């Protein structure tokens, strides 16, 4: 039976792999258990690692450090790839307010942590760990440990202990903040839904179609390209039905005549303006247009050729070269008006109108092959990791901080992933990955990281909690609850933010998936997810940065 003892408590490769896999397996199973509708999810991997390590199951320190950092890199890089396309647009209009409020949550959390640190005199490493656990931010934990390791050469097990102790009540505290805001303002969900529907109707920006009769005398005889330049609104004329009954695919050279009927693709908020500009709206839906000419079809084509990535619609000359009209582009479930300046990306679905023969030629040009999309694009992933590590290793000197600040193995890959997913198409870099592939990378990365953190923190964990560590739970709850309540009150009283969006803001400012799941369950719509996604990228970046700076300041 020595081989079993060696496998469970030894130090070989087999022991390390068995231990890591076992911790992850058990943790994921426990993560499916819900109490009062709340689950700690994959955080159970951390606790299982602590328990097994407490009972003597440990692995080689060098292997542990490598797997922990590699898992963290995979996790933050896949997160960056996902949120990158919407990172910069999240600052527009209402998104700016939400991001400022989320940044306030981060700053207040750091301030409360510093106050508790000064009052209690706790070790700086413990306080940083409590902060990361209180806001349920694992990359922040990784960044803090990396900064501590760069300074001292030690792993910083107390940081992980503080994180593990504060995390469970951190999840509960976030959900309690959501409930308390609703109770304080006596919010009725039905009324919030009505207000939201009214506001969304006024701000809708998705593409729609409308039929218009040309009656503006100033447009008679003008080519469509001239007409498009006369008004600062995005719209696409797809088909033109003349007063004699001749139907044609609209091109930039098509001249408008009086009483021509147009099939137009417009952003919803611009419908009235475009209708008034061209003439008047008529009752003809897409089926009516299709019946007029059976040879004219509309089809969605998937862009799967890497050569198309980053090119604009105008550069492809689909109208002149193929005799078809691109009316809209669907990206990540959102329909965009197909303007000539719109840059195409791998995975976009373009709606094309024309004859079946011409559309078949366009399919060959654009790809339309699901098999190509399923093939993994490993070049941007590993190139991004290389660039991310290089960026994360650059020291930045700030006045008053004795040690240079680095973005580290969490911040560097996160920023690079955001940048290449947003701007990679400009450099012909295909960054498209399927959602399933992205989730697989992310889950493997965070599983490896949490398992290694748990195994590293297990030694002395129970003794620490028994000998006064239980007070850390209370400190963590204060760090969680106080900033969220302050910002929640400001968001509702001053900015009148809808409660569904506010729930997403609270969950996103703490990067907490269980809180988002709770918000979605009571909202009955996707607005909490929208609020969450709006503030998530900036919050993640700030959590990683402030965790490191707090280590350097307090040390």
């Amino acid at each position: 039976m020595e081989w079993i003892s060696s496998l469970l408590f030894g130090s070989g490769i087999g022991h390390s792999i068995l231990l890591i896999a076992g911790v992850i397996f058990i943790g994921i199973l426990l993560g499916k258990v819900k109490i009062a509708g709340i689950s700690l999810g994959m955080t159970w991997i951390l606790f299982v690692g602590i328990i097994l390590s407490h009972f003597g199951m440990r692995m080689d320190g060098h292997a542990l450090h490598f797997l922990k950092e590699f898992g963290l890199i995979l996790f933050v890089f896949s997160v960056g790839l996902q949120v990158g396309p919407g990172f910069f647009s999240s600052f527009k209009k209402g998104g700016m307010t939400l991001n400022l409020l989320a940044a306030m949550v981060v700053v207040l959390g750091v301030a409360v942590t510093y106050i508790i640190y000064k009052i209690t005199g706790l070790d700086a490493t413990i306080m940083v760990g409590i902060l990361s656990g209180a806001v349920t931010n694992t990359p922040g934990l990784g960044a803090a440990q990396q900064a501590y390791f760069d300074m001292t050469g030690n792993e910083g097990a107390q940081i992980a202990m503080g994180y593990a102790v504060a995390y469970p009540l951190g999840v509960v505290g976030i959900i309690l903040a959501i409930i308390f805001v609703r109770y304080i303002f006596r919010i009725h969900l039905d009324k919030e839904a009505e207000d939201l529907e009214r506001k969304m109707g006024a701000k809708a920006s998705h593409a729609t179609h409308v039929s218009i009769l040309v009656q503006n005398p100033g447009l008679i005889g003008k080519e469509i390209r001239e007409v498009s330049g006369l008004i600062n609104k995005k719209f696409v004329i797809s088909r033109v039905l003349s007063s004699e009954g001749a139907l044609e695919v609209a091109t930039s050279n098509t001249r408008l005549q009086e009483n021509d009927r147009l099939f137009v693709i417009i952003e919803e908020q611009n419908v009235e303006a475009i209708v008034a500009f061209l003439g008047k709206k008529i009752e003809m839906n897409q089926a009516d247009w299709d019946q007029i000419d059976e040879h004219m079809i509309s089809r969605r084509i998937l862009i799967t050729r890497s050569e198309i990535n980053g090119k604009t619609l105008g550069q492809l000359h689909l109208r002149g070269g193929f005799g078809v009209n691109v009316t809209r582009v669907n990206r990540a479930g959102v329909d965009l008006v197909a303007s000539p300046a719109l840059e195409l990306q791998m995975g976009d679905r373009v709606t094309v109108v024309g004859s079946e023969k011409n559309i078949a030629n366009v399919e060959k040009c654009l790809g339309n092959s699901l098999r190509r999309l399923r093939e993994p694009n490993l070049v941007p992933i590993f190139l991004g990791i290389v660039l991310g590590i290089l960026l994360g290793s650059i020291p930045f000197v700030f006045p008053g901080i004795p040690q240079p600040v680095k973005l580290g193995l969490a911040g560097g890959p996160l920023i690079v992933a955001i940048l290449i997913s947003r701007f990679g198409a400009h450099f012909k870099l295909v960054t498209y990955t399927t959602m399933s592939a992205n989730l697989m990378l992310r889950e493997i990365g965070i599983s490896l990281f949490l398992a290694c953190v748990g195994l590293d923190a297990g030694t002395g964990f129970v003794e620490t909690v028994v000998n006064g560590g239980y007070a850390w739970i209370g400190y963590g709850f204060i760090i969680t609850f106080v900033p969220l309540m302050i910002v929640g009150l400001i968001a509702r009283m001053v900015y009148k933010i809808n409660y569904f969006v506010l729930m997403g803001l609270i969950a996103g400012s703490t990067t907490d998936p269980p809180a988002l799941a709770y918000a979605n369950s009571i909202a009955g719509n996707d607005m909490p997810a929208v609020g969450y996604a709006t503030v998530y990228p900036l919050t993640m970046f700030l959590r990683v940065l402030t965790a490191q700076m707090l280590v350097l300041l307090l040390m």
Side-chain angles (χ1 to χ4, degrees):
M1 300 296 287
E2 289 185 8
W3 66 274
I4 295 180
S5 177
S6 175
L7 195 59
L8 294 178
F9 301 97
S11 59
I13 295 177
H15 162 76
S16 298
I17 296 175
L18 174 68
L19 188 55
I20 288 288
V23 168
I24 294 173
F25 167 69
I26 299 172
I28 291 175
L29 285 183
L30 292 175
K32 297 181 183 298
V33 178
K34 293 184 178 181
I35 300 175
I38 301 174
S39 169
L40 294 181
M42 299 192 73
T43 311
W44 268 110
I45 297 174
L46 173 70
F47 297 126
V48 171
I50 290 174
I51 293 170
L52 294 185
S53 178
H54 174 72
F55 287 104
M57 295 185 183
R58 304 185 183 101
M59 58 184 289
D60 177 73
H62 296 291
L64 184 76
H65 183 68
F66 166 75
L67 284 176
K68 181 176 68 174
E69 300 302 338
F70 185 63
L72 179 64
I73 290 171
L74 288 180
F75 173 69
V76 298
F77 191 82
S78 59
V79 168
L81 284 181
Q82 181 193 14
V83 304
F87 179 78
F88 297 96
S89 61
S90 68
F91 293 97
K92 297 178 181 178
K93 298 180 181 178
M96 178 64 77
T97 300
L98 292 181
N99 276 287
L100 286 174
L101 290 170
M104 190 184 299
V105 173
V106 177
V107 173
L108 286 174
V110 173
V112 172
T113 302
Y114 184 76
I115 292 171
I116 294 175
Y117 166 73
K118 283 295 186 181
I119 293 174
T120 63
L122 273 178
D123 189 271
T125 56
I126 296 173
M127 285 308 308
V128 174
I130 292 174
L131 170 63
S132 296
V135 298
T136 69
N137 187 258
T138 307
L141 167 65
Q145 287 190 312
Q146 181 66 39
Y148 184 76
F149 181 80
D150 290 341
M151 289 180 64
T152 65
N154 298 322
E155 292 291 339
Q158 284 186 305
I159 299 177
M161 286 186 188
Y163 175 91
V165 171
Y167 188 100
L169 202 58
V171 175
V172 176
I174 297 166
I175 295 175
L176 283 177
I178 293 174
I179 296 172
F180 269 57
V181 169
R182 180 181 176 184
Y183 175 78
I184 291 172
F185 292 100
R186 298 179 181 180
I187 293 172
H188 299 284
L189 298 182
D190 292 340
K191 186 176 182 298
E192 291 296 301
E194 291 175 4
D195 292 342
L196 179 64
E197 189 174 348
R198 192 182 310 114
K199 292 178 181 178
M200 291 298 291
K203 296 181 179 180
S205 61
H206 295 325
T208 187
H209 55 78
V210 64
S211 298
I212 301 175
L213 184 69
V214 177
Q215 291 190 328
N216 184 346
L219 305 180
I220 305 304
K222 291 187 179 295
E223 294 181 346
I224 286 179
R225 71 171 130 221
E226 297 178 84
V227 173
S228 299
L230 294 176
I231 184 170
N232 188 26
K233 302 288 184 183
K234 290 182 180 180
F235 68 99
V236 175
I237 299 176
S238 172
R239 282 170 271 183
V240 178
L241 179 64
S242 69
S243 55
E244 288 81 20
L247 180 70
E248 64 173 315
V249 173
T251 67
S252 57
N253 300 321
T254 301
R255 293 185 181 275
L256 298 183
Q257 302 298 331
E258 189 173 6
N259 294 325
D260 280 351
R261 282 172 283 181
L262 311 177
F263 188 72
V264 187
I265 310 300
I266 322 173
E267 290 183 347
E268 290 182 355
Q269 74 269 26
N270 294 331
V271 169
E272 291 186 7
I274 298 299
V275 169
F277 172 66
L278 295 175
K280 71 175 184 179
K281 184 178 179 181
I282 56 177
E283 295 300 324
M284 284 183 67
N285 55 38
Q286 188 162 359
D288 296 329
W289 286 94
D290 293 338
Q291 288 177 0
I292 295 173
D293 191 339
E294 296 179 355
H295 301 291
M296 196 81 68
I297 62 173
S298 175
R299 183 174 299 166
R300 280 195 168 184
I301 299 176
L302 193 63
I303 295 179
T304 58
R305 287 188 61 198
S306 58
E307 296 88 344
I308 306 297
N309 192 61
K311 288 188 175 182
T312 64
L313 275 172
Q315 290 176 318
L316 297 181
H317 304 292
L318 297 180
R319 277 187 175 183
F322 294 91
V324 299
N325 204 354
V326 178
T327 59
R328 69 188 80 183
V329 176
N330 184 277
R331 180 174 299 161
V334 177
D335 279 335
L336 309 173
V337 174
S339 62
L342 180 64
E343 288 187 351
L344 299 175
Q345 298 180 10
M346 287 279 285
D348 285 350
R349 294 179 182 271
V350 297
T351 300
V352 181
V353 178
S355 67
E356 188 164 0
K357 179 181 178 181
N358 290 344
I359 287 181
N361 292 329
V362 173
E363 284 183 343
K364 295 177 183 177
C365 172
L366 301 182
N368 204 35
S369 171
L370 281 173
R371 182 182 61 82
R372 290 187 183 180
L373 284 185
R374 294 192 185 108
E375 294 175 356
N377 296 307
L378 297 180
V379 170
I381 293 175
F382 286 100
L383 173 63
I385 290 175
V386 168
L387 296 176
I389 292 174
L390 290 175
L391 176 63
S393 301
I394 299 174
F396 298 94
V397 179
F398 291 94
I401 300 179
Q403 188 82 5
V405 176
K406 297 180 182 179
L407 293 172
L409 298 182
L414 176 65
I415 292 176
V416 169
I418 289 174
L419 292 176
I420 67 171
S421 63
R422 173 60 181 87
F423 300 108
H426 295 300
F427 304 98
K428 309 303 178 185
L429 188 65
V430 178
T431 60
Y432 176 84
T433 55
T434 63
M435 181 59 70
S436 58
N438 184 282
L439 285 173
M440 178 65 77
L441 271 181
R442 191 190 320 172
E443 297 300 298
I444 289 176
I446 194 63
S447 297
L448 288 173
F449 177 79
L450 289 175
C452 292
V453 169
L455 290 170
D456 190 37
T459 306
F461 178 82
V462 174
E463 292 82 357
T464 300
V465 174
V466 171
N467 296 324
Y470 51 83
W472 304 356
I473 299 175
Y475 301 150
F477 182 78
I478 294 172
I479 295 170
T480 301
F481 193 71
V482 172
L484 289 178
M485 287 304 301
I486 292 174
V487 173
L489 294 175
I490 293 173
R492 188 68 183 180
M493 294 174 63
V494 178
Y495 295 101
K496 311 297 182 184
I497 293 177
N498 183 274
Y499 181 65
F500 298 135
V501 178
L502 180 55
M503 287 193 293
L505 166 65
I506 291 174
S509 62
T510 52
T511 64
D512 186 58
L516 177 62
Y518 170 79
N520 285 334
S521 67
I522 67 172
N525 56 56
D526 62 354
M527 289 314 297
V530 172
Y532 183 92
T534 300
V535 303
Y536 183 91
L538 178 64
T539 300
M540 181 66 75
F541 173 73
L542 291 177
R543 291 292 184 197
V544 169
L545 187 62
T546 54
Q548 292 183 87
M549 295 193 69
L550 196 58
V551 169
L552 298 177
L553 285 170
L554 299 186
M555 295 292 291

